[in-house]
Amino acid sequence: MAANEHEEHAGRWRVEPGTELRLADIDTASKAGAPGDKEATTLAVQDLVGQLSDWQNRLWAEGSQSILLVLQAMDAGGKDGTIRQVFTGVNPQGVRVASFKAPTADELAHDFLWRVHQHAPAHGEMGVFNRSHYEDVLIVRVNELVPEPVWRARYQQIRDFEQILTASGTAVVKVFLHISPEEQAERLQARLDDPTKRWKFAAADLDVRKHWDAYQAAYEEAIRETSTADAPWYVIPADRKWYRNWAVLQVLLDVLHRLDPQFPPEEPGLEDLTVV
Ligand code: ATP
Ligand code: MG
């Protein structure tokens, strides 16, 4: 594995398989490792965004590997903002974002991975899941939408599914944007107070918020059960949006360095050609 400058940062948030994860012990407002305050880090983010764009170009040109970023968070955890700000410099042609809402009747009439698998990125693409198959061991567990043996069996099914993606050349990177309940309260209130953001507010979010501890426990177990060497979870402190953006970029760039996509070999004799 080639060393790269992003590795040390990514390792800070990676959940190593088999380790005991306690979300309550992770500071949601951490600035660990950041190059400076908000201003300095935001400048660094601009540079990292440019690097992501360069890697995307290589990944696309090579056309034999892909990357899948799975984004999970509590409501107002910043999934949308992360996608907007991290992928802002990247050629939209090479990025595929899929958002997973409550399943339709047709989706519910299939296995839980049916609707997910078809959105997996093709070779050369960067895929992003805004929520994902993990909802089927999170909200489904907390709201008791299926019996416990059914959701519990899904940990193994998810590990197997992600192994299929890995084996076909997709690096699976899973990020939990970790915010505090206080930060969530502020963000939900901001949605209510701002008429241009009110459309994002769902009264049901307040019910979900009441089950904060149950969700944290469900996340903890899901992350522990499914963080593997090939498809690890990263718990990113996300109360500060600028730190969150910087951290997610570090994780993506570390993975891309390790994938190390190469431009395809050029046709022989091109150096002697002149276009007339
Ligand atoms: P925001 O964070 O901006 O509110 P969002 O991802 O919450 O965005 P919404 O449309 O508000 O988007 O919510 C989608 C809802 O769909 C979530 O409450 C989520 O838990 C739910 N959902 C997603 N997948 C499933 C699933 N498999 N079963 C049940 N509910 C699901
Ligand atoms: Mg929502």
Side-chain angles (χ1 to χ4, degrees):
M1 187 187 299
N4 72 77
E5 61 190 292
H6 311 289
E7 203 177 301
E8 179 197 342
H9 295 305
R12 184 177 295 123
W13 310 298
R14 190 184 298 119
V15 179
E16 298 299 340
T19 52
E20 195 62 20
L21 171 71
R22 294 274 307 129
L23 285 176
D25 293 344
I26 299 176
D27 177 10
T28 54
S30 168
K31 299 185 277 185
D37 56 6
K38 179 175 178 179
E39 209 178 318
T41 306
T42 304
L43 265 180
V45 161
Q46 282 175 19
D47 177 57
L48 298 175
V49 159
Q51 292 184 37
L52 188 70
S53 171
D54 292 344
W55 281 112
Q56 187 277 335
N57 193 29
R58 274 177 179 268
L59 193 71
W60 181 261
E62 183 194 61
S64 60
Q65 305 182 90
S66 53
I67 184 166
L68 171 61
L69 172 65
V70 172
L71 270 181
Q72 286 286 159
M74 297 293 285
D75 285 306
K79 302 185 305 301
D80 289 341
T82 301
I83 296 169
R84 194 172 61 244
Q85 288 155 27
V86 164
F87 292 93
T88 186
V90 174
N91 181 352
Q93 200 160 224
V95 183
R96 184 198 290 234
V97 183
S99 297
F100 295 95
K101 310 285 184 191
T104 63
D106 190 29
E107 287 167 350
L108 278 176
H110 292 82
D111 72 86
F112 77 105
L113 293 169
W114 178 75
R115 66 170 182 162
V116 176
H117 202 165
Q118 61 190 309
H119 293 289
H123 290 159
E125 285 180 340
M126 290 184 170
V128 183
F129 284 178
N130 182 347
R131 299 191 189 268
S132 66
H133 44 298
Y134 283 95
E135 294 293 322
D136 292 278
V137 291
L138 295 167
I139 187 173
V140 165
R141 168 183 178 166
V142 174
N143 287 357
E144 299 180 5
L145 301 180
V146 300
E148 175 164 351
V150 174
W151 61 255
R152 208 161 261 296
R154 289 179 175 165
Y155 294 140
Q156 180 67 48
Q157 292 158 1
I158 288 173
R159 289 193 294 264
D160 290 344
F161 168 60
E162 292 176 354
Q163 190 55 49
I164 294 174
L165 301 183
T166 307
S168 76
T170 301
V172 182
V173 181
K174 301 173 296 197
V175 165
F176 173 58
L177 302 176
H178 189 27
I179 58 166
S180 66
E182 294 76 25
E183 179 68 21
Q184 187 195 45
E186 259 180 49
R187 292 187 189 178
L188 290 176
Q189 190 64 49
R191 286 184 183 184
L192 274 175
D193 295 345
D194 179 347
T196 69
K197 286 189 181 166
R198 218 168 275 159
W199 63 273
K200 276 196 161 201
F201 187 87
D205 292 352
L206 297 180
D207 293 327
V208 174
R209 184 172 157 75
K210 286 190 197 128
H211 299 290
W212 183 274
D213 291 342
Y215 272 97
Q216 296 290 301
Y219 266 109
E220 233 164 49
E221 187 169 3
I223 292 172
R224 269 203 306 255
E225 286 282 340
T226 61
S227 206
T228 62
D230 285 338
W233 274 99
Y234 296 83
V235 176
I236 304 248
D239 280 359
R240 300 172 206 264
K241 295 172 182 171
W242 48 270
Y243 182 82
R244 168 203 79 197
N245 293 341
W246 175 80
V248 171
L249 279 157
Q250 294 291 350
V251 167
L252 290 173
L253 290 169
D254 173 48
V255 174
L256 282 158
H257 267 273
R258 285 186 280 133
L259 288 181
D260 197 22
Q262 301 293 320
F263 290 115
E266 53 192 56
E267 285 178 39
L270 290 189
E271 62 277 9
D272 300 329
L273 281 184
T274 308
V275 179
V276 288

